[in-house]
Amino acid sequence: FNTPDECRFTLTVIVPRGAEVTVNGKTLTSAPAAASLADLEGGGTLPGLYGTGGFAHCSVTPAFDKYTVAGFLTHPVVTATLNGTALPVAADRTDGYFITCEFDIPATPAPEGGITDASLAAAADAAADFAGRYFSYTAKGGDMGKNFTAFDAAYGEMLASLTRDTPAYTKLMEGYAAAYRAPSYDKLETERLSITGYTVYADGCVGISAEYSLAFSNELPADAPADAAPEVAQRTTGTISVMLTSSASGWTVMGFVDRPSA
């Protein structure tokens, strides 16, 4: 077909480092380029969802490869495997004749006895510590200004615990208005916070996922019976995922995604 080159599809494939890619059933054999932070920013892979700009301030970055193939007349079929395991498509975006197909690493389920690798266990502890502080902060919602003093103090403590300019820091700042409108509670009980899996994106760059159940309640009025117990005003369950990088000082929270259950 005499189709002009500018009217043929150009495909970019972003995969975890070392993955094998097939396009229309043929394995790509050319050496891939290293995907840059700009390639991952805003994409469908987990590092892209967390935001990657903050990694510019860190020596550890998620390791992804990038393939570019041009000349397709139609949208190609793309698959990827890593160590023999099929990778899920994180995003398949088409902008005119430019296609970007991204693949992500499936999380490794946490063993029943807990994570035994010392470094990963330390990352899991750091993620759990962050989650606990984050949940405590969300319990102190601004309540449209009625709880402003306590809420603003908790907000300041959260910002102080994060590294400036990381995606986590930016996300917390951007969520201020919603948190200000959220209701406030006197008591938070973390009924469950269980590490469910982890994803290794590079040496010193991991994602930790955990399931949680939270119970929010308020203090009883002064005239309540002595044996009365506070009723749970709201119970929330969901999954929180935390991405961390390591340094000489320990694990740093780079980003997080909180997914409350419907």
Side-chain angles (χ1 to χ4, degrees):
F1 298 97
N2 294 321
T3 307
D5 289 343
E6 61 268 23
C7 295
R8 291 174 180 260
F9 288 98
T10 297
L11 168 70
T12 299
V13 185
I14 297 176
V15 290
R17 180 66 44 78
E20 183 177 273
V21 179
T22 68
V23 179
N24 291 341
K26 296 184 178 181
T27 301
L28 299 185
T29 57
S30 60
S36 67
L37 292 176
D39 294 322
L40 294 172
E41 188 77 55
T45 65
L46 276 180
L49 291 176
Y50 287 118
T52 58
F55 282 98
H57 305 280
C58 181
S59 61
V60 181
T61 59
F64 280 76
D65 290 334
K66 181 175 76 170
Y67 293 89
T68 302
V69 188
F72 296 99
L73 292 172
T74 61
H75 195 300
V77 177
V78 187
T79 64
T81 59
L82 183 64
N83 299 325
T85 301
L87 299 178
V89 178
D92 190 348
R93 305 191 306 273
T94 300
D95 181 14
Y97 290 100
F98 296 93
I99 307 163
T100 300
C101 190
E102 303 175 24
F103 292 84
D104 209 357
I105 312 173
T108 300
E112 287 188 11
I115 299 174
T116 56
D117 180 274
S119 182
L120 287 175
D125 289 343
D129 177 68
F130 166 79
R133 287 185 281 107
Y134 173 71
F135 295 145
S136 179
Y137 157 70
T138 59
K140 296 181 177 66
D143 204 6
M144 294 298 292
K146 298 176 184 177
N147 187 49
F148 178 75
T149 301
F151 163 70
D152 201 51
Y155 173 74
E157 290 176 6
M158 276 300 299
L159 285 181
S161 71
L162 298 172
T163 301
R164 184 180 292 272
D165 294 330
T166 59
Y169 187 97
T170 302
K171 183 171 184 173
L172 196 74
M173 291 184 64
E174 292 175 344
Y176 181 90
Y180 175 83
R181 295 191 297 268
S184 62
Y185 299 95
D186 298 323
K187 181 181 179 182
L188 163 68
E189 180 184 357
T190 303
E191 299 177 321
R192 182 188 182 214
L193 181 61
S194 177
I195 303 298
T196 57
Y198 61 90
T199 304
V200 178
Y201 287 101
D203 289 339
C205 178
V206 302
I208 303 290
S209 297
E211 294 179 350
Y212 64 82
S213 176
L214 310 173
F216 302 90
S217 59
N218 291 309
E219 297 290 348
L220 293 170
D223 58 353
D227 59 348
E231 293 186 3
V232 175
Q234 178 177 322
R235 179 172 278 106
T236 302
T237 61
T239 300
I240 186 168
S241 299
V242 184
M243 176 166 281
L244 311 98
T245 58
S246 67
S247 63
S249 59
W251 288 95
T252 299
V253 174
M254 293 296 291
F256 68 96
V257 175
D258 180 18
R259 301 183 180 89
S261 301

